[in-house]
Amino acid sequence: MLSPTDRVPVCGRFAPSPSGRMHLGNLFCAFLAWLCARSENGRFVLRIEDLDTGRCRREYAQILEDDLRRLGLDWDEGGSAGGANGPYFQSECSALYTEALELLRTKAHVYPCFCSRADLHAASAPHRSDGTVLYSGRCRSLSPKEAEARMQQRRPALRIEVPNAAYGFTDARLGAYCQNLARDCGDFILRRSDGVFAYQLAVVVDDARMGVTQVVRGEDLLSSTPRQIYLQKLLGLRTPEYFHIPLLVNEQGVRLSKREKSLDAGALFARFTPQELTGWLAYLAGQLPRPEACTPQELCTVFCRSKVPADSIIVPDALLNGQ
Ligand code: GLU
């Protein structure tokens, strides 16, 4: 434990991908990340994760900022407001990611991978716990000559070899979590074959350069965290505190999908005032016994992390269908 004197000032962040209008799950994540940081008098950063330029759009980032403000959430730096630790749009950070990639090449085995999607999904391919395919290591031992020859045919992705070793951390909600990287994760991609840097690399570089000390995000990203810790260690970066928040599910226990139109920010703001919506978010987060209208600011003083539910959160029909 850190003593009060060597505590680093808290800095939280919200890191959405602007690939469409936010939905209830994104608002819930932004709300909790904001509350975690602000209730500790921390800074708050908005980072736009628009690496996938095919899916992400600037207009969506603008709407996203408007929706956050409408809900009553603010941030000290990032998004279109900029700040001292920019750029805050990942699409503008290629030089920084290239630099990190070059450093990783000196610390670990980073190699070109020519496998096609079909190669990766070969029938026998083992799967990770999150259902994605565990890489077989097929291109790991290509000789420089072979790799050179293949490069004439297709542009490779870049992968990093992972050790047969455990990487773990203590999640602020879920407790100890650990993966043996070779067994549970496999060599993973740092840069895709189309030149787009991978989320795993970008998130590590950006959280560090923005001084982020606490990462609050959906539990679906829990299994990414050991990979990120591995990269942090190789790059000599500090590991932030992680708080993975529960997923929102419907009454049947199925994760709410982005396609659920009644739950996109536009539909929610059409049915609820910002204060009513905040009341719902606070209720889902275990902070209020009933969904009573309030502001994020009012919740700051009463916010208690340990009240955030341990299991997935069932979104009641009243919120799904709105009245
Ligand atoms: N950009 C990711 C998303 O929208 C979040 C990444 C993170 O919080 O680490 O799902």
Side-chain angles (χ1 to χ4, degrees):
M1 276 306 256
L2 292 174
S3 72
T5 44
D6 45 36
R7 244 179 205 288
V8 258
V10 167
C11 178
R13 49 70 152 185
F14 178 51
S17 299
S19 58
R21 191 96 186 239
M22 284 194 291
H23 60 104
L24 183 69
N26 304 117
L27 291 172
F28 185 61
C29 182
F31 169 78
L32 276 178
W34 184 93
L35 269 178
C36 280
R38 294 302 198 208
S39 64
E40 293 185 59
N41 296 317
R43 274 193 306 133
F44 197 59
V45 175
L46 175 65
R47 181 172 69 242
I48 305 295
E49 302 213 325
D50 58 350
L51 280 171
D52 191 339
T53 46
R55 289 177 54 236
C56 296
R57 293 217 218 116
R58 275 294 158 117
E59 306 90 87
Y60 290 144
Q62 192 51 55
I63 296 171
L64 190 150
E65 290 193 21
D66 294 343
D67 284 337
L68 293 176
R69 276 194 211 97
R70 194 159 167 191
L71 193 64
L73 304 181
D74 62 348
W75 54 96
D76 305 296
E77 42 182 291
S80 55
N85 300 303
Y88 295 92
F89 286 75
Q90 290 189 326
S91 57
E92 295 170 5
C93 299
S94 292
L96 296 167
Y97 306 144
T98 303
E99 209 178 289
L101 182 66
E102 291 316 313
L103 183 54
L104 287 172
R105 282 184 199 275
T106 68
K107 309 272 179 189
H109 182 205
V110 175
Y111 61 91
C113 172
F114 299 90
C115 292
S116 65
R117 207 173 276 263
D119 294 332
L120 296 176
H121 290 87
S124 59
H127 285 68
R128 294 182 182 140
S129 57
D130 62 6
T132 56
V133 175
L134 194 86
Y135 184 60
S136 64
R138 199 162 175 245
C139 293
R140 192 188 300 142
S141 48
L142 286 180
S143 70
K145 218 171 135 200
E146 273 172 301
E148 195 56 49
R150 293 221 198 162
M151 255 182 256
Q152 309 303 318
Q153 314 296 318
R154 76 187 272 151
R155 200 174 165 192
L158 290 177
R159 278 186 195 270
I160 187 164
E161 181 171 351
V162 295
N164 182 6
Y167 281 76
F169 69 104
T170 303
D171 186 77
R173 171 174 149 262
L174 297 164
Y177 182 81
C178 182
Q179 278 182 351
N180 174 301
L181 288 184
R183 195 192 58 216
D184 305 325
C185 167
D187 297 354
F188 61 93
I189 290 188
L190 296 177
R191 200 181 66 197
R192 296 188 336 201
S193 59
D194 60 3
V196 174
F197 283 95
Y199 157 70
Q200 308 293 355
L201 176 64
V203 75
V204 162
V205 170
D206 289 341
D207 280 339
R209 70 187 178 82
M210 293 174 185
V212 169
T213 65
Q214 68 175 206
V215 170
V216 177
R217 61 185 179 192
E219 199 179 315
D220 52 325
L221 290 167
L222 180 71
S223 65
S224 287
T225 311
R227 267 170 277 178
Q228 293 169 16
I229 292 176
Y230 173 54
L231 294 181
Q232 286 157 3
K233 297 238 182 310
L234 290 173
L235 293 168
L237 304 173
R238 192 196 281 262
T239 293
E241 178 198 27
Y242 290 97
F243 181 46
H244 288 90
I245 63 173
L247 300 179
L248 302 180
V249 298
N250 65 18
E251 306 243 346
Q252 286 72 46
V254 180
R255 190 176 169 195
L256 293 177
S257 136
K258 259 194 161 176
R259 288 185 296 272
E260 199 85 55
K261 278 290 160 228
S262 67
L263 294 180
D264 94 8
L268 289 168
F269 283 124
R271 285 187 283 131
F272 302 104
T273 65
Q275 289 76 20
E276 283 168 349
L277 190 51
T278 302
W280 269 110
L281 294 172
Y283 169 71
L284 295 177
Q287 306 299 311
L288 289 181
R290 280 174 303 279
E292 272 166 24
C294 61
T295 65
Q297 207 63 50
E298 285 162 351
L299 290 163
C300 255
T301 47
V302 292
F303 177 67
C304 176
R305 270 187 198 210
S306 58
K307 289 189 184 164
V308 175
D311 297 321
S312 296
I313 298 168
I314 298 174
V315 175
D317 276 343
L319 180 53
L320 269 171
N321 305 316
Q323 37 249 305

